[in-house]
Amino acid sequence: MRLLLLPLVFLVALQTGCDRPSATATSVAAAPAAATQAAAAFAMVDETRIRAADAEPQNWMSHGRSYDEQRFSPLGSINRDNVAGLGLDWHFDFPTDRGLEATPLVVDGRMYVTGAWSHVYAFDAKTGALLWHHDPKVPPAWAVHLCCDVVNRGVALWQGRVYAGTLDGRLIALDAATGALLWSQQTTPTDKPYSITGAPRIVKGLVIIGNGGSEMGVRGYVSAYDAATGEMKWRFYTVPGDPAQPAESPALEAAKASWKGGEWWKTGGGGTVWDSMAYDAELDLLYVGVGNGSPWNQQIRSPGGGDNLYLSSILALRPETGEYVWHYQTTPGDAWDYTATQHMILADLVIGGQTRKVIMQAPKNGFFYVLDRATGEFISGEAYAQQTWTTGIDKATGKPQVVEAARYRDKEALVLPSPYGAHNWQPMSFSPRTGLVYIPVQEIPFVFKHDPAYRHHPGLWNVGVQIEAAGMPEDPAIAAQVLKMVQGRLVAWDPVSQKEAWRVELHAPFNGGTLVTAGDLVFAGSARGEFAAYDAANGKTLWSAPVQTGVIAPPISYAVDGKQYVAVVAGWGGALPLAGGEVARLAGSVNRSRLLVYSLGGKDALPAPVQTTRQPEPPPLQADAATVAAGKTLYAQFCMACHGDGAVGGGVVPDLRYMSAQTHAEFEAIVLGGLRHERGMVGFASVMGQPVLDAAGAAKIHAYVIQRAQAEKARLAAGASSASLAPAEGPQ
Ligand code: CA
């Protein structure tokens, strides 16, 4: 699909008068004098500039704008009084059609942003002209090792260079002027299902980068590379390796006792550092968020229980050495995919009459934490969404009081939050003017059930629970009840009183990250395809615009020549839109991948959206009920994570109920033989050298998909509105 779309880039480039995007370095080098000047002038970011980010409100130089990651823009020319006049100033159509999660960075009039498949782009931030485009050529088949879409959350800038991670584990450095590749480092073993989707941070000339893959089976770590040379300087593993071997650090030696029984090290144990970081220059502490256990099910991973350090923890490290300083574990003995990788914000808050240097996080587990960032001391923590896995946090110890039944040892358990989290990676923001934190919150129920037949499949989903048990019930009445429980909203949270200040219901989960500005506006996109500005004090909607796709990424604000802009990448995708089935469909969104830039009086307009296709006639169902049931189990295990619960497409990856006659005819060649691996659909006959599915298994999955297609046909015949969010195949 990616390859088919490439000609569109050329068209867009011609229409907007840009350089040819695939020509990267050579196209810009065609004007040598300008290129020489450019190399000296672009993205000359360093520690001094980032530490003084407030002195350059026109720029957004690092992921969270400043090292404290507050995502507060000091720009205020767009404000409550005039935001109604906001309009689209320019836009860019990406050549990809998968989820977009990036934070654009803007320095001195140039914008640097990543798209799907780890592509990197540079634009003139004023005109929207594409300056260069770098395609790192990630093998499409690597997509099978990704839990949550082929996404990337952005670049880092340092002394004229642009740094990005790639899905297959490389860290690359590009010339900010031309996009030319300067160096590339493989940061992960290529025989393990690691991936990079997070944005690097740069501290003291070191590029800090983690990775993902806990759902597949990897051992988490975070590493530092010399920004100039790409040489690795340190690596901190987050979970112990083989207990018979010496640990890599004293902190890991101390962690060993918190893992009890099992053979977690053989498949990794998890604890990946896949997104959030922050840095306090005065304390000289680098904070990293650590992910969930692998597999999710602690009975398999560490059958004797234990806290399983440093899963689901915030770690404070020395940035120059990776030395451990402190940790705080949000979810001891994680069994629910409750990562602590969600966005972390540093701020100084007056609590109980004292100014406290705090770090704040609203991880997946449903609690909003305020910790002392010098020591890791627990200050406060309260539920910001409905949660059923604890009776609250013990204020003396700072530990959650876990409801034993939620550990699903003896029987399945309906638990809130779900593995999608009460808040996922979508960044929140903090306004020093209102003192509030703005969080995209969601409530989604999930059934956890122990998988007694669990067997590790290298490179594939290995979570140790029966995913099928978490699927949407097929009875429409029960499904309707479940869907009623699903919530999505924008919440303003007071971190001092630990209370909600206001909320805006958004009616579907997986909404966009937030930006707050000195104009006292909160900007955020929604799953349902609106981009809106809210009054930061009370949540009143002051402006909104339809954007034709669900927005999950966070906006930024910048200025060029004194004019303020608000930018966001719009492109439905990520974990829930892929796997969520009917829950994902609540949004009603399809992927249309664009960069949108707004200004007061902006006059640009989006083209009219292309309508979705009708359902092709599905083949008759000839298999018996037992075959369909067996196919359903296999589908849940191997297909659901991308093609959706119940074979219901969420608007990104093809909806299998809408397969063409040709796809039905080629089903085995696709599913086993990898006929469409160039589009990210790997063949499942063998993955990482291990057999996965055979022809009989593929036929069972096919039978289940035909049954689901026939059910959809009957539903449409009964008068349901045309429900195909994604066309059967191919881009729109
Ligand atoms: Ca996870």
Side-chain angles (χ1 to χ4, degrees):
M1 195 176 300
R2 194 161 56 101
L3 296 177
L4 291 175
L5 268 168
L6 278 177
L8 287 179
V9 185
F10 295 109
L11 275 178
V12 169
L14 288 170
Q15 285 165 358
T16 55
C18 304
D19 292 320
R20 284 168 52 132
S22 68
T24 56
T26 49
S27 62
V28 177
T36 307
Q37 283 178 357
F42 294 117
M44 293 305 291
V45 173
D46 57 22
E47 182 154 335
T48 306
R49 280 183 82 177
I50 299 179
R51 285 182 68 170
D54 285 354
E56 303 182 41
Q58 73 277 19
N59 290 328
W60 192 289
M61 294 184 285
S62 64
H63 192 63
R65 196 188 70 85
S66 42
Y67 275 138
D68 55 24
E69 305 258 336
Q70 291 185 355
R71 290 180 177 269
F72 169 80
S73 170
L75 297 172
S77 14
I78 301 170
N79 55 49
R80 287 186 279 211
D81 296 332
N82 60 20
V83 69
L86 206 62
L88 190 64
D89 194 285
W90 60 269
H91 74 278
F92 175 80
D93 284 285
F94 287 101
T96 54
D97 59 358
R98 299 287 289 268
L100 296 179
E101 300 187 349
T103 297
L105 302 192
V106 174
V107 178
D108 305 333
R110 279 193 163 195
M111 179 186 291
Y112 308 88
V113 66
T114 55
W117 295 104
S118 322
H119 287 216
V120 187
Y121 304 83
F123 297 93
D124 182 312
K126 184 176 181 177
T127 67
L130 178 66
L131 301 170
W132 53 259
H133 165 211
H134 177 81
D135 176 359
K137 303 204 183 306
V138 171
W142 199 259
V144 76
H145 305 310
L146 295 157
C147 74
C148 310
D149 206 353
V150 293
V151 294
N152 185 284
R153 285 181 288 279
V155 301
L157 303 174
W158 196 260
Q159 296 181 343
R161 294 173 175 191
V162 182
Y163 300 84
T166 70
L167 291 170
D168 53 350
R170 287 170 282 156
L171 178 65
I172 59 174
L174 308 175
D175 186 319
T178 66
L181 182 67
L182 299 174
W183 56 255
S184 173
Q185 271 286 7
Q186 184 68 40
T187 70
T188 57
T190 53
D191 61 346
K192 297 275 194 312
Y194 284 97
S195 52
I196 300 178
T197 57
R201 311 299 201 277
I202 304 185
V203 175
K204 297 184 164 181
L206 296 176
V207 189
I208 317 292
I209 190 75
N211 46 60
S214 288
E215 272 61 48
M216 311 291 145
V218 299
R219 183 186 183 197
Y221 59 82
V222 58
S223 316
Y225 292 84
D226 186 305
T229 65
E231 181 194 353
M232 191 175 94
K233 293 295 186 184
W234 57 258
R235 174 162 293 173
F236 184 92
Y237 285 96
T238 60
V239 297
D242 183 347
Q245 303 295 323
E248 289 88 346
S249 68
L252 277 182
E253 195 62 45
K256 275 184 180 177
S258 69
W259 293 70
K260 300 175 190 293
E263 296 185 318
W264 74 89
W265 67 93
K266 290 188 175 173
T267 54
T272 48
V273 179
W274 57 263
D275 192 50
S276 68
M277 299 182 211
Y279 174 59
D280 185 315
E282 284 174 21
L283 295 171
D284 196 32
L285 288 176
L286 169 72
Y287 306 96
V288 301
V290 181
N292 56 279
S294 176
W296 291 350
N297 189 340
Q298 196 194 21
Q299 294 166 77
I300 296 167
R301 187 180 72 237
S302 179
D307 287 351
N308 297 174
L309 294 170
Y310 296 90
L311 295 180
S312 308
S313 301
I314 296 172
L315 282 168
L317 307 175
R318 290 291 172 211
E320 281 166 302
T321 60
E323 181 195 356
Y324 166 98
V325 179
W326 61 255
H327 80 275
Y328 176 83
Q329 189 174 43
T330 57
T331 306
D334 168 51
W336 311 274
D337 187 17
Y338 286 165
T339 64
T341 52
Q342 279 57 53
H343 182 195
M344 299 178 292
I345 291 177
L346 314 185
D348 293 350
L349 300 180
V350 178
I351 298 174
Q354 283 187 309
T355 300
R356 303 289 301 262
K357 290 179 178 296
V358 308
I359 183 168
M360 301 183 278
Q361 188 187 49
K364 280 186 182 179
N365 75 12
F367 287 99
F368 189 98
Y369 294 90
V370 178
L371 310 176
D372 183 313
R373 71 174 178 269
T375 63
E377 176 202 346
F378 172 85
I379 296 174
S380 63
E382 295 292 342
Y384 65 89
Q386 191 184 355
Q387 63 82 26
T388 63
W389 68 285
T390 80
T391 54
I393 296 176
D394 181 325
K395 300 295 189 291
T397 64
K399 288 198 163 202
Q401 296 162 309
V402 179
V403 174
E404 193 52 31
R407 291 199 172 275
Y408 57 96
R409 291 186 204 279
D410 307 317
K411 58 179 182 182
E412 65 187 40
L414 178 76
V415 178
L416 280 154
S418 76
Y420 297 118
H423 165 229
N424 207 312
W425 61 269
Q426 286 91 334
M428 46 193 201
S429 55
F430 170 75
S431 170
R433 292 167 59 89
T434 63
L436 300 175
V437 180
Y438 303 93
I439 319 167
V441 173
Q442 57 197 11
E443 291 180 359
I444 305 164
F446 194 87
V447 174
F448 286 90
K449 187 176 183 182
H450 174 62
D451 182 2
Y454 171 72
R455 177 166 78 83
H456 183 81
H457 291 281
L460 296 175
W461 270 66
N462 291 291
V463 293
V465 303
Q466 295 184 48
I467 289 289
E468 192 181 346
M472 186 61 66
E474 288 185 12
D475 182 322
I478 301 174
Q481 291 291 322
V482 173
L483 288 172
K484 268 191 190 167
M485 296 173 70
V486 177
Q487 309 275 322
R489 54 182 176 265
L490 173 64
V491 165
W493 189 262
D494 183 334
V496 175
S497 68
Q498 285 280 13
K499 287 194 173 73
E500 186 175 305
W502 54 257
R503 67 168 64 180
V504 176
E505 296 293 350
L506 297 172
H507 309 291
F510 228 63
N511 296 289
T514 72
L515 159 74
V516 63
T517 72
D520 291 326
L521 296 170
V522 177
F523 287 92
S526 74
R528 288 194 162 183
E530 298 277 331
F531 186 54
Y534 306 92
D535 187 319
N538 56 33
K540 187 179 173 198
T541 305
L542 298 177
W543 170 87
S544 80
V547 296
Q548 305 180 356
T549 188
V551 180
I552 54 177
I556 65 153
S557 192
Y558 65 93
V560 183
D561 297 338
K563 181 177 174 181
Q564 186 184 356
Y565 299 85
V566 177
V568 68
V569 292
W572 185 233
L576 179 78
L578 260 61
E582 294 289 354
V583 174
R585 272 177 35 78
L586 287 172
S589 283
V590 298
N591 179 284
R592 295 189 178 91
S593 292
R594 287 198 179 105
L595 168 58
L596 305 170
V597 179
Y598 295 87
S599 69
L600 290 175
K603 293 281 189 277
D604 191 12
L606 295 178
V610 177
Q611 294 306 308
T612 53
T613 54
R614 290 174 172 277
Q615 188 193 30
E617 179 66 27
L621 177 62
Q622 292 170 326
D624 59 21
T627 304
V628 171
K632 181 182 180 183
T633 302
L634 289 171
Y635 177 91
Q637 191 171 3
F638 297 116
C639 316
M640 191 210 79
C642 292
H643 286 284
D645 175 31
V648 175
V652 188
V653 169
D655 187 323
L656 299 185
R657 302 171 306 167
Y658 287 67
M659 290 196 305
S660 67
Q662 185 188 350
T663 302
H664 279 290
E666 295 175 342
F667 193 83
E668 186 179 312
I670 296 166
V671 172
L672 297 183
L675 190 62
R676 297 191 183 162
H677 72 277
E678 284 298 332
R679 292 160 62 167
M681 173 61 200
V682 71
F684 280 75
S686 167
V687 175
M688 287 197 157
Q690 297 292 314
V692 180
L693 278 175
D694 57 14
K700 287 172 187 165
I701 293 171
H702 197 185
Y704 171 65
V705 169
I706 291 171
Q707 186 252 353
R708 296 297 295 151
Q710 289 288 353
E712 175 69 352
K713 181 185 169 187
R715 202 179 69 85
L716 294 171
S721 61
S722 180
S724 171
L725 293 178
E729 292 145 82
Q732 301 184 58

